[in-house]
Amino acid sequence: MQLPTTFEALIEEANHSKLYNKLILQLNKDFLLANIDLDFHEEILPSSLKLLLHETVYKLIQEKFMEYLNLLYIIDVPEKQVKQLDGSDALKLSEAVSFLILKREWQKVWFKNKYS
């Protein structure tokens, strides 16, 4: 599996595979498991998804760091990838982490679809 390198490529691949709704459901499931009050509507536009996810991750980093770490653990974002990010600017960090979250969720959805 070749992972997308941009948000746009990820969304395009999800739409092309008709798995965008499953991606949203997987995000909702993992946010619920992390006890974070965020529920994406199944018909959310990709641009709104990106903005809302980015905003939520930014707030978690700034205000609820332990919940942020718990979310990364539950979603299973690779720690190595997070450590490679530049943490000097919280806004840029949250944007990069948001994409890592989406990539990991996309992997889960893709593998479930392919092997079930």
Side-chain angles (χ1 to χ4, degrees):
M1 168 185 197
Q2 183 69 28
L3 283 173
T5 55
T6 65
F7 173 80
E8 291 76 17
L10 189 149
I11 296 301
E12 185 178 312
E13 191 173 329
N15 281 329
H16 180 72
S17 304
K18 295 181 177 39
L19 295 174
Y20 180 73
N21 277 2
K22 290 188 179 189
L23 177 64
I24 301 303
L25 293 174
Q26 183 66 45
L27 275 166
N28 286 339
K29 176 184 168 190
D30 286 341
F31 270 82
L32 183 63
L33 282 172
N35 205 24
I36 295 172
D37 187 29
L38 180 65
D39 190 28
F40 297 104
H41 190 274
E42 287 185 41
E43 302 298 321
I44 190 170
L45 295 173
S47 56
S48 300
L49 170 68
K50 181 179 181 181
L51 185 66
L52 191 55
L53 182 60
H54 181 207
E55 182 181 301
T56 302
V57 170
Y58 180 75
K59 284 182 181 176
L60 288 172
I61 290 172
Q62 294 288 28
E63 301 167 11
K64 299 178 180 179
F65 196 72
M66 290 308 292
E67 285 89 344
Y68 160 74
L69 294 177
N70 188 45
L71 176 67
L72 295 182
Y73 176 77
I74 286 172
I75 292 176
D76 194 27
V77 175
E79 185 179 345
K80 181 180 177 185
Q81 291 179 3
V82 176
K83 285 184 175 182
Q84 291 174 344
L85 299 174
D86 178 17
S88 62
D89 182 352
L91 196 61
K92 288 182 181 177
L93 174 66
S94 60
E95 183 177 17
V97 169
S98 297
F99 182 61
L100 291 178
I101 288 171
L102 279 174
K103 277 199 320 189
R104 181 63 186 118
E105 296 290 43
W106 171 241
Q107 276 183 309
K108 292 178 186 180
V109 168
W110 188 87
F111 279 115
K112 280 180 189 172
N113 184 64
K114 181 147 177 88
Y115 296 110
S116 63

mmCIF file of all heavy atoms in Angstrom, residues 3 68 71-85 97 99-105 107-108:
data_model
loop_
_atom_site.group_PDB
_atom_site.id
_atom_site.type_symbol
_atom_site.label_atom_id
_atom_site.label_comp_id
_atom_site.label_asym_id
_atom_site.label_seq_id
_atom_site.Cartn_x
_atom_site.Cartn_y
_atom_site.Cartn_z
ATOM 1 N N LEU A 3 0.983 5.043 0.718
ATOM 2 C CA LEU A 3 0.203 6.063 1.423
ATOM 3 C C LEU A 3 0.269 7.400 0.694
ATOM 4 O O LEU A 3 1.323 7.778 0.182
ATOM 5 C CB LEU A 3 0.730 6.240 2.852
ATOM 6 C CG LEU A 3 0.324 5.159 3.826
ATOM 7 C CD1 LEU A 3 1.039 5.353 5.151
ATOM 8 C CD2 LEU A 3 -1.170 5.167 4.045
ATOM 9 N N TYR A 68 -4.558 14.583 24.110
ATOM 10 C CA TYR A 68 -3.920 14.562 22.788
ATOM 11 C C TYR A 68 -3.054 13.302 22.653
ATOM 12 O O TYR A 68 -3.149 12.576 21.661
ATOM 13 C CB TYR A 68 -3.099 15.842 22.612
ATOM 14 C CG TYR A 68 -2.026 15.797 21.561
ATOM 15 C CD1 TYR A 68 -2.346 15.842 20.215
ATOM 16 C CD2 TYR A 68 -0.681 15.728 21.915
ATOM 17 C CE1 TYR A 68 -1.354 15.813 19.243
ATOM 18 C CE2 TYR A 68 0.311 15.706 20.967
ATOM 19 C CZ TYR A 68 -0.022 15.739 19.631
ATOM 20 O OH TYR A 68 0.954 15.711 18.678
ATOM 21 N N LEU A 71 -5.199 10.233 22.375
ATOM 22 C CA LEU A 71 -5.777 10.119 21.030
ATOM 23 C C LEU A 71 -4.772 9.505 20.057
ATOM 24 O O LEU A 71 -5.107 8.594 19.300
ATOM 25 C CB LEU A 71 -6.231 11.493 20.524
ATOM 26 C CG LEU A 71 -6.769 11.535 19.097
ATOM 27 C CD1 LEU A 71 -8.093 10.771 19.003
ATOM 28 C CD2 LEU A 71 -6.950 12.960 18.633
ATOM 29 N N LEU A 72 -3.538 9.995 20.099
ATOM 30 C CA LEU A 72 -2.505 9.451 19.207
ATOM 31 C C LEU A 72 -2.279 7.967 19.485
ATOM 32 O O LEU A 72 -2.071 7.178 18.566
ATOM 33 C CB LEU A 72 -1.195 10.227 19.369
ATOM 34 C CG LEU A 72 -1.220 11.689 18.940
ATOM 35 C CD1 LEU A 72 0.158 12.313 19.118
ATOM 36 C CD2 LEU A 72 -1.694 11.852 17.515
ATOM 37 N N TYR A 73 -2.322 7.602 20.759
ATOM 38 C CA TYR A 73 -2.136 6.208 21.144
ATOM 39 C C TYR A 73 -3.293 5.344 20.620
ATOM 40 O O TYR A 73 -3.075 4.277 20.053
ATOM 41 C CB TYR A 73 -2.030 6.106 22.672
ATOM 42 C CG TYR A 73 -1.929 4.693 23.171
ATOM 43 C CD1 TYR A 73 -0.737 3.985 23.076
ATOM 44 C CD2 TYR A 73 -3.037 4.052 23.732
ATOM 45 C CE1 TYR A 73 -0.638 2.680 23.526
ATOM 46 C CE2 TYR A 73 -2.954 2.753 24.186
ATOM 47 C CZ TYR A 73 -1.748 2.063 24.084
ATOM 48 O OH TYR A 73 -1.665 0.772 24.520
ATOM 49 N N ILE A 74 -4.513 5.806 20.806
ATOM 50 C CA ILE A 74 -5.689 5.036 20.378
ATOM 51 C C ILE A 74 -5.729 4.889 18.861
ATOM 52 O O ILE A 74 -6.017 3.816 18.332
ATOM 53 C CB ILE A 74 -6.980 5.680 20.929
ATOM 54 C CG1 ILE A 74 -7.069 5.376 22.421
ATOM 55 C CG2 ILE A 74 -8.217 5.192 20.191
ATOM 56 C CD1 ILE A 74 -8.157 6.072 23.158
ATOM 57 N N ILE A 75 -5.414 5.964 18.162
ATOM 58 C CA ILE A 75 -5.415 5.905 16.694
ATOM 59 C C ILE A 75 -4.216 5.111 16.189
ATOM 60 O O ILE A 75 -4.256 4.540 15.122
ATOM 61 C CB ILE A 75 -5.451 7.330 16.095
ATOM 62 C CG1 ILE A 75 -6.801 7.971 16.407
ATOM 63 C CG2 ILE A 75 -5.194 7.315 14.590
ATOM 64 C CD1 ILE A 75 -6.946 9.401 15.966
ATOM 65 N N ASP A 76 -3.175 5.027 17.001
ATOM 66 C CA ASP A 76 -1.949 4.310 16.677
ATOM 67 C C ASP A 76 -1.108 5.054 15.646
ATOM 68 O O ASP A 76 -0.598 4.474 14.693
ATOM 69 C CB ASP A 76 -2.273 2.886 16.201
ATOM 70 C CG ASP A 76 -1.046 1.988 16.166
ATOM 71 O OD1 ASP A 76 -0.101 2.237 16.944
ATOM 72 O OD2 ASP A 76 -1.019 1.048 15.343
ATOM 73 N N VAL A 77 -0.987 6.362 15.860
ATOM 74 C CA VAL A 77 -0.101 7.174 15.023
ATOM 75 C C VAL A 77 1.331 6.818 15.416
ATOM 76 O O VAL A 77 1.656 6.844 16.611
ATOM 77 C CB VAL A 77 -0.363 8.684 15.230
ATOM 78 C CG1 VAL A 77 0.631 9.519 14.452
ATOM 79 C CG2 VAL A 77 -1.779 9.040 14.824
ATOM 80 N N PRO A 78 2.185 6.486 14.458
ATOM 81 C CA PRO A 78 3.566 6.103 14.792
ATOM 82 C C PRO A 78 4.315 7.207 15.551
ATOM 83 O O PRO A 78 4.423 8.340 15.075
ATOM 84 C CB PRO A 78 4.212 5.840 13.430
ATOM 85 C CG PRO A 78 3.066 5.548 12.517
ATOM 86 C CD PRO A 78 1.918 6.368 13.033
ATOM 87 N N GLU A 79 4.811 6.844 16.721
ATOM 88 C CA GLU A 79 5.521 7.800 17.576
ATOM 89 C C GLU A 79 6.736 8.388 16.855
ATOM 90 O O GLU A 79 7.033 9.576 16.988
ATOM 91 C CB GLU A 79 5.965 7.088 18.853
ATOM 92 C CG GLU A 79 6.614 7.977 19.870
ATOM 93 C CD GLU A 79 7.006 7.227 21.129
ATOM 94 O OE1 GLU A 79 6.549 6.094 21.348
ATOM 95 O OE2 GLU A 79 7.787 7.798 21.905
ATOM 96 N N LYS A 80 7.396 7.573 16.080
ATOM 97 C CA LYS A 80 8.586 8.013 15.348
ATOM 98 C C LYS A 80 8.254 9.177 14.411
ATOM 99 O O LYS A 80 9.003 10.147 14.312
ATOM 100 C CB LYS A 80 9.162 6.832 14.557
ATOM 101 C CG LYS A 80 10.402 7.145 13.777
ATOM 102 C CD LYS A 80 10.881 5.912 13.023
ATOM 103 C CE LYS A 80 12.091 6.244 12.167
ATOM 104 N NZ LYS A 80 12.486 5.095 11.339
ATOM 105 N N GLN A 81 7.113 9.078 13.726
ATOM 106 C CA GLN A 81 6.703 10.135 12.798
ATOM 107 C C GLN A 81 6.370 11.426 13.539
ATOM 108 O O GLN A 81 6.682 12.514 13.066
ATOM 109 C CB GLN A 81 5.511 9.691 11.962
ATOM 110 C CG GLN A 81 5.840 8.613 10.963
ATOM 111 C CD GLN A 81 4.633 8.176 10.157
ATOM 112 O OE1 GLN A 81 3.541 8.717 10.293
ATOM 113 N NE2 GLN A 81 4.826 7.163 9.322
ATOM 114 N N VAL A 82 5.742 11.307 14.698
ATOM 115 C CA VAL A 82 5.388 12.488 15.484
ATOM 116 C C VAL A 82 6.652 13.169 15.996
ATOM 117 O O VAL A 82 6.772 14.398 15.960
ATOM 118 C CB VAL A 82 4.444 12.128 16.659
ATOM 119 C CG1 VAL A 82 4.172 13.346 17.526
ATOM 120 C CG2 VAL A 82 3.137 11.559 16.125
ATOM 121 N N LYS A 83 7.619 12.369 16.428
ATOM 122 C CA LYS A 83 8.871 12.926 16.960
ATOM 123 C C LYS A 83 9.689 13.641 15.889
ATOM 124 O O LYS A 83 10.491 14.511 16.196
ATOM 125 C CB LYS A 83 9.707 11.836 17.613
ATOM 126 C CG LYS A 83 9.161 11.411 18.959
ATOM 127 C CD LYS A 83 10.070 10.408 19.626
ATOM 128 C CE LYS A 83 9.570 10.098 21.030
ATOM 129 N NZ LYS A 83 10.449 9.164 21.731
ATOM 130 N N GLN A 84 9.497 13.273 14.633
ATOM 131 C CA GLN A 84 10.234 13.901 13.540
ATOM 132 C C GLN A 84 9.698 15.286 13.188
ATOM 133 O O GLN A 84 10.345 16.042 12.482
ATOM 134 C CB GLN A 84 10.208 13.016 12.292
ATOM 135 C CG GLN A 84 11.009 11.752 12.420
ATOM 136 C CD GLN A 84 10.846 10.827 11.232
ATOM 137 O OE1 GLN A 84 9.930 10.975 10.434
ATOM 138 N NE2 GLN A 84 11.741 9.855 11.110
ATOM 139 N N LEU A 85 8.521 15.628 13.693
ATOM 140 C CA LEU A 85 7.899 16.912 13.372
ATOM 141 C C LEU A 85 8.536 18.035 14.174
ATOM 142 O O LEU A 85 9.014 17.826 15.289
ATOM 143 C CB LEU A 85 6.394 16.858 13.653
ATOM 144 C CG LEU A 85 5.601 15.820 12.863
ATOM 145 C CD1 LEU A 85 4.165 15.777 13.350
ATOM 146 C CD2 LEU A 85 5.658 16.087 11.384
ATOM 147 N N VAL A 97 0.206 16.831 12.452
ATOM 148 C CA VAL A 97 -0.344 15.715 13.224
ATOM 149 C C VAL A 97 -1.728 15.336 12.699
ATOM 150 O O VAL A 97 -2.060 14.151 12.614
ATOM 151 C CB VAL A 97 -0.384 16.048 14.733
ATOM 152 C CG1 VAL A 97 -1.190 15.019 15.503
ATOM 153 C CG2 VAL A 97 1.029 16.142 15.296
ATOM 154 N N PHE A 99 -2.720 15.445 9.680
ATOM 155 C CA PHE A 99 -2.514 14.633 8.482
ATOM 156 C C PHE A 99 -2.039 13.232 8.850
ATOM 157 O O PHE A 99 -2.476 12.243 8.250
ATOM 158 C CB PHE A 99 -1.537 15.309 7.519
ATOM 159 C CG PHE A 99 -1.336 14.538 6.246
ATOM 160 C CD1 PHE A 99 -2.400 14.286 5.396
ATOM 161 C CD2 PHE A 99 -0.094 14.030 5.911
ATOM 162 C CE1 PHE A 99 -2.227 13.547 4.227
ATOM 163 C CE2 PHE A 99 0.085 13.300 4.749
ATOM 164 C CZ PHE A 99 -0.984 13.060 3.905
ATOM 165 N N LEU A 100 -1.169 13.123 9.864
ATOM 166 C CA LEU A 100 -0.735 11.797 10.321
ATOM 167 C C LEU A 100 -1.922 10.980 10.831
ATOM 168 O O LEU A 100 -2.012 9.773 10.576
ATOM 169 C CB LEU A 100 0.322 11.921 11.427
ATOM 170 C CG LEU A 100 1.689 12.459 11.025
ATOM 171 C CD1 LEU A 100 2.598 12.572 12.245
ATOM 172 C CD2 LEU A 100 2.338 11.576 9.961
ATOM 173 N N ILE A 101 -2.821 11.641 11.541
ATOM 174 C CA ILE A 101 -4.032 10.977 12.031
ATOM 175 C C ILE A 101 -4.866 10.466 10.856
ATOM 176 O O ILE A 101 -5.289 9.314 10.828
ATOM 177 C CB ILE A 101 -4.863 11.933 12.917
ATOM 178 C CG1 ILE A 101 -4.159 12.135 14.258
ATOM 179 C CG2 ILE A 101 -6.291 11.413 13.113
ATOM 180 C CD1 ILE A 101 -4.778 13.220 15.126
ATOM 181 N N LEU A 102 -5.078 11.331 9.875
ATOM 182 C CA LEU A 102 -5.873 10.923 8.705
ATOM 183 C C LEU A 102 -5.200 9.784 7.943
ATOM 184 O O LEU A 102 -5.882 8.855 7.484
ATOM 185 C CB LEU A 102 -6.087 12.115 7.768
ATOM 186 C CG LEU A 102 -7.195 13.070 8.166
ATOM 187 C CD1 LEU A 102 -7.198 14.282 7.237
ATOM 188 C CD2 LEU A 102 -8.551 12.397 8.137
ATOM 189 N N LYS A 103 -3.882 9.837 7.805
ATOM 190 C CA LYS A 103 -3.174 8.764 7.097
ATOM 191 C C LYS A 103 -3.340 7.430 7.822
ATOM 192 O O LYS A 103 -3.582 6.400 7.194
ATOM 193 C CB LYS A 103 -1.677 9.079 6.962
ATOM 194 C CG LYS A 103 -1.341 9.975 5.815
ATOM 195 C CD LYS A 103 0.101 9.954 5.371
ATOM 196 C CE LYS A 103 1.144 9.898 6.429
ATOM 197 N NZ LYS A 103 2.507 10.097 5.896
ATOM 198 N N ARG A 104 -3.215 7.452 9.146
ATOM 199 C CA ARG A 104 -3.342 6.217 9.915
ATOM 200 C C ARG A 104 -4.774 5.678 9.846
ATOM 201 O O ARG A 104 -4.992 4.474 9.674
ATOM 202 C CB ARG A 104 -2.929 6.448 11.372
ATOM 203 C CG ARG A 104 -3.019 5.213 12.221
ATOM 204 C CD ARG A 104 -2.048 4.125 11.734
ATOM 205 N NE ARG A 104 -2.256 2.905 12.488
ATOM 206 C CZ ARG A 104 -2.646 1.746 11.960
ATOM 207 N NH1 ARG A 104 -2.818 1.622 10.651
ATOM 208 N NH2 ARG A 104 -2.823 0.701 12.726
ATOM 209 N N GLU A 105 -5.733 6.574 9.935
ATOM 210 C CA GLU A 105 -7.132 6.151 9.825
ATOM 211 C C GLU A 105 -7.403 5.598 8.428
ATOM 212 O O GLU A 105 -8.143 4.624 8.274
ATOM 213 C CB GLU A 105 -8.075 7.311 10.149
ATOM 214 C CG GLU A 105 -7.977 7.820 11.576
ATOM 215 C CD GLU A 105 -8.526 6.874 12.631
ATOM 216 O OE1 GLU A 105 -8.283 5.661 12.564
ATOM 217 O OE2 GLU A 105 -9.213 7.365 13.535
ATOM 218 N N GLN A 107 -5.257 4.079 6.528
ATOM 219 C CA GLN A 107 -4.670 2.737 6.488
ATOM 220 C C GLN A 107 -5.641 1.711 7.065
ATOM 221 O O GLN A 107 -5.841 0.646 6.478
ATOM 222 C CB GLN A 107 -3.385 2.686 7.329
ATOM 223 C CG GLN A 107 -2.145 3.140 6.626
ATOM 224 C CD GLN A 107 -0.938 2.966 7.545
ATOM 225 O OE1 GLN A 107 -0.966 3.408 8.689
ATOM 226 N NE2 GLN A 107 0.087 2.328 7.046
ATOM 227 N N LYS A 108 -6.216 2.033 8.204
ATOM 228 C CA LYS A 108 -7.154 1.112 8.850
ATOM 229 C C LYS A 108 -8.330 0.798 7.933
ATOM 230 O O LYS A 108 -8.701 -0.368 7.751
ATOM 231 C CB LYS A 108 -7.686 1.703 10.154
ATOM 232 C CG LYS A 108 -6.666 1.826 11.257
ATOM 233 C CD LYS A 108 -7.326 2.479 12.457
ATOM 234 C CE LYS A 108 -6.387 2.794 13.569
ATOM 235 N NZ LYS A 108 -7.064 3.416 14.714
#
